Amino acid sequence: MTPNISATANRIEGRLFSEGNRLCMVVHVDSEGGVAQVSSRVNGKRQLLPMSIAEVTDRLAAGLQLDALGAAEAASRIVEKADGWFFQAREGHKGPYPTSLEAKRALSKHIADAQLTNNKAR
């Protein structure tokens, strides 16, 4: 795996982009395979779709950036306690998760779900 692909993978996981009128979130990136797993809701059902890393970076470059998951503030929301890893949300700590990576993924999903819920309420 080249360093550029790995850096790109780290930068895009947890990011949001729009496709048509749908909000999509990158939930996992396989740097070695060059594929990202993208979550989106279609007809009220969540779907997990494979998409090439190149395609995801192109869509992200289009300018939609609603989240700050790559920011230091997001990293500080992941905490380790005696019984596992948690993330801090407005509603309190969520968890436990067995690893910090799983807590980060759960935080990403939580933010995307909250944004989808907020968009539906408008």
Side-chain angles (χ1 to χ4, degrees):
M1 165 177 29
T2 65
N4 288 342
I5 292 174
S6 179
T8 298
N10 288 336
R11 197 173 68 244
I12 66 174
E13 193 166 278
R15 296 280 306 275
L16 301 170
F17 63 90
S18 62
E19 183 175 286
N21 60 356
R22 292 182 297 152
L23 184 62
C24 302
M25 183 178 83
V26 182
V27 294
H28 179 70
V29 178
D30 176 4
S31 299
E32 292 180 15
V35 176
Q37 295 295 318
V38 176
S39 177
S40 180
R41 288 198 186 271
V42 177
N43 298 325
K45 295 182 182 182
R46 189 167 50 159
Q47 294 183 348
L48 195 59
L49 309 168
M51 190 178 288
S52 74
I53 291 174
E55 189 175 352
V56 169
T57 56
D58 287 347
R59 293 193 178 164
L60 290 170
L64 176 67
Q65 185 174 346
L66 300 174
D67 62 274
L69 292 174
E73 298 86 32
S76 68
R77 293 176 67 181
I78 307 295
V79 295
E80 184 178 20
K81 295 186 174 191
D83 55 344
W85 289 88
F86 295 78
F87 68 86
Q88 178 62 39
R90 287 186 180 115
E91 305 82 10
H93 282 93
K94 302 288 184 175
Y97 300 93
T99 66
S100 62
L101 180 59
E102 288 184 45
K104 181 181 176 185
R105 287 183 180 151
L107 171 59
S108 296
K109 181 187 178 313
H110 177 79
I111 290 170
D113 287 347
Q115 289 175 341
L116 286 170
T117 300
N118 288 339
N119 285 340
K120 287 180 182 178
R122 290 181 186 178

